[in-house]
């Protein structure tokens, strides 16, 4: 007997509907990978998203799925994924090196001379230092983002760490003047140097080393590992951390997509 055309059409239609539903699920999963960054959004004045792909295959079509209101999308991937990026509209901004050191139990808990635990009263000073001492971070490096916005991001980041977000923070203070800070977080057995900076007029004097040592000493017996991320071209920082026993353990590449990278002048550097 002849095969039923009606049955075949239903079978094709059913398959098509299954494929459509599968596509919708994939699309929803992709959309969920775009995470609105409330902190950055408040400072930039337009929506900033962090894109977290689950696999290499998602990256090639990522730009098509960017939320319509996005002004900036950030993506950080393993360095081994870099070969796919030329197929996208994401721009390479930085290479991030993650370093870590195991905390030995025999290290002294005493803080270095002139370094003390940070208090909330230090928040405004740390904010001012942070607004002026960074050059290597991804926002300052992106030619589509103005330096004022980049500085404001670091400033508010420092303020928030001191007042509410941080685990332990340290400042170096000489003759009643705060010259630098080290703001740390902690996740179970891992301490993290989240933001560290020294006033531009006092860099190169060993204050950064003292601030790192403060964290190493403080977290002895409180954590097992201490981690920090720094840019691969920040050779002074990498040398400092290596001299204090840190080793490179991971390397990532940060990419940006901005709505103004083709024509809009909204946040282009002057």
């Amino acid at each position: 007997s002849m095969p039923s055309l009606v049955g075949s059409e239903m079978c094709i239609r059913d398959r098509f509907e299954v494929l459509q539903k599968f596509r919708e699920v994939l699309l929803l999963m992709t959309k969920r990978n775009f995470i609105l960054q409330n902190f950055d959004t408040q400072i930039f004045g337009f929506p900033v998203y962090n894109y977290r792909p689950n696999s290499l295959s998602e990256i090639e079509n990522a730009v098509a799925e960017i939320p319509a209101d996005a002004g900036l999308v950030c993506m950080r991937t393993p360095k081994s994924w870099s070969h796919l990026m030329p197929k996208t509209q994401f721009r390479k901004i930085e290479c991030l090196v993650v370093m870590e050191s195991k905390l030995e139990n025999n290290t002294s808990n005493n803080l270095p001379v002139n370094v003390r635990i940070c208090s909330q009263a230090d928040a405004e000073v740390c904010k001012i230092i942070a607004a002026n001492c960074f050059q290597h971070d991804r926002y300052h490096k992106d030619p589509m983002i103005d330096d004022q916005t980049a500085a404001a991001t670091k400033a508010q980041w420092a303020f928030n760490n001191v007042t509410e977000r941080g685990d332990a923070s340290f400042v170096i203070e000489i003759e009643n003047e705060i010259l630098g800070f080290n703001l740390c977080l902690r996740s179970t057995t891992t301490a993290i140097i989240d933001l560290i900076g020294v006033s531009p007029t006092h860099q190169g004097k060993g204050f950064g080393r003292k601030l790192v040592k403060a964290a190493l000493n403080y977290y002895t017996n409180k954590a097992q590992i201490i981690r920090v991320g720094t840019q691969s071209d920040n050779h002074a920082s990498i040398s400092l951390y290596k001299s204090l026993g840190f080793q490179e353990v991971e390397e990532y590449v940060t990419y940006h997509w901005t709505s103004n990278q083709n024509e809009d002048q909204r946040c282009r550097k002057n």
Side-chain angles (χ1 to χ4, degrees):
S1 60
M2 295 288 291
S4 171
L5 291 178
V6 174
S8 297
E9 287 176 1
M10 289 182 66
C11 182
I12 292 171
R13 187 165 61 247
D14 288 345
R15 287 180 181 177
F16 179 75
E17 288 176 357
V18 169
L19 287 173
Q20 280 291 95
K21 287 180 180 179
F22 182 67
R23 184 181 181 279
E24 289 171 5
V25 169
L26 285 177
L27 183 60
L28 182 61
M29 290 174 64
T30 303
K31 290 290 187 184
R32 286 176 179 169
N33 291 345
F34 289 92
I35 302 164
L36 183 67
Q37 304 298 295
N38 292 322
F39 170 78
D40 306 81
T41 294
Q42 289 177 0
I43 293 174
F44 277 78
F46 53 77
V48 177
Y49 289 87
N50 188 9
Y51 175 55
R52 298 177 183 174
N54 294 313
S55 65
L56 279 166
S57 60
E58 293 180 358
I59 291 179
E60 289 190 42
N61 298 318
V63 171
E65 310 300 342
I66 289 175
D69 63 350
L72 168 64
V73 178
C74 311
M75 173 171 57
R76 183 167 288 160
T77 68
K79 191 177 181 181
S80 59
W81 292 17
S82 299
H83 65 283
L84 273 184
M85 293 307 151
K87 299 179 181 179
T88 76
Q89 293 179 37
F90 281 88
R91 297 174 290 106
K92 180 179 177 181
I93 303 298
E94 66 171 7
C95 289
L96 183 75
V97 178
V98 178
M99 308 181 76
E100 70 176 34
S101 176
K102 292 183 179 179
L103 294 166
E104 303 295 340
N105 291 331
N106 58 357
T107 305
S108 168
N109 281 115
N110 296 330
L111 298 181
V113 176
N114 298 321
V115 177
R116 62 171 173 81
I117 296 289
C118 189
S119 73
Q120 292 208 359
D122 303 319
E124 283 294 340
V125 177
C126 291
K127 183 177 182 179
I128 292 170
I129 293 173
N132 293 284
C133 71
F134 294 103
Q135 296 178 338
H136 292 275
D137 63 283
R138 62 190 177 95
Y139 284 161
H140 279 96
K141 281 187 170 182
D142 190 335
M144 308 306 296
I145 298 173
D146 68 79
D147 288 335
Q148 186 176 357
T149 302
T153 303
K154 287 295 187 181
Q156 194 60 45
W157 183 354
F159 184 87
N160 290 356
N161 269 29
V162 174
T163 56
E164 57 188 48
R165 182 170 173 261
D167 178 64
S169 300
F170 313 92
V171 292
I172 185 161
E173 184 176 24
I174 298 177
E175 296 180 355
N176 297 318
E177 183 182 2
I178 294 175
L179 306 178
F181 58 78
N182 182 3
L183 314 178
C184 299
L185 307 175
R186 181 168 55 168
S187 174
T188 60
T189 59
T190 302
I192 301 164
I193 296 177
D194 191 49
L195 192 65
I196 182 170
V198 175
S199 173
T201 56
H202 292 90
Q203 292 177 4
K205 299 178 181 179
F207 295 154
R209 172 177 289 271
K210 281 192 171 186
L211 287 165
V212 175
K213 280 187 174 181
L216 292 171
N217 292 0
Y218 176 86
Y219 281 108
T220 294
N221 304 321
K222 296 183 179 70
Q224 296 177 3
I225 291 172
I226 187 164
R227 300 191 115 204
V228 64
T230 191
Q231 290 72 26
S232 61
D233 61 350
N234 192 345
H235 305 298
S237 290
I238 290 175
S239 296
L240 168 62
Y241 292 124
K242 283 185 175 180
S243 72
L244 291 172
F246 285 78
Q247 295 181 332
E248 297 181 16
V249 293
E250 295 170 358
E251 194 166 0
Y252 297 92
V253 183
T254 305
Y255 300 89
H256 285 173
W257 174 94
T258 46
S259 60
N260 66 336
Q261 62 190 30
N262 294 322
E263 69 281 341
D264 182 11
Q265 299 293 314
R266 175 167 44 184
C267 59
R268 188 187 298 272
K269 287 188 190 296
N270 294 326

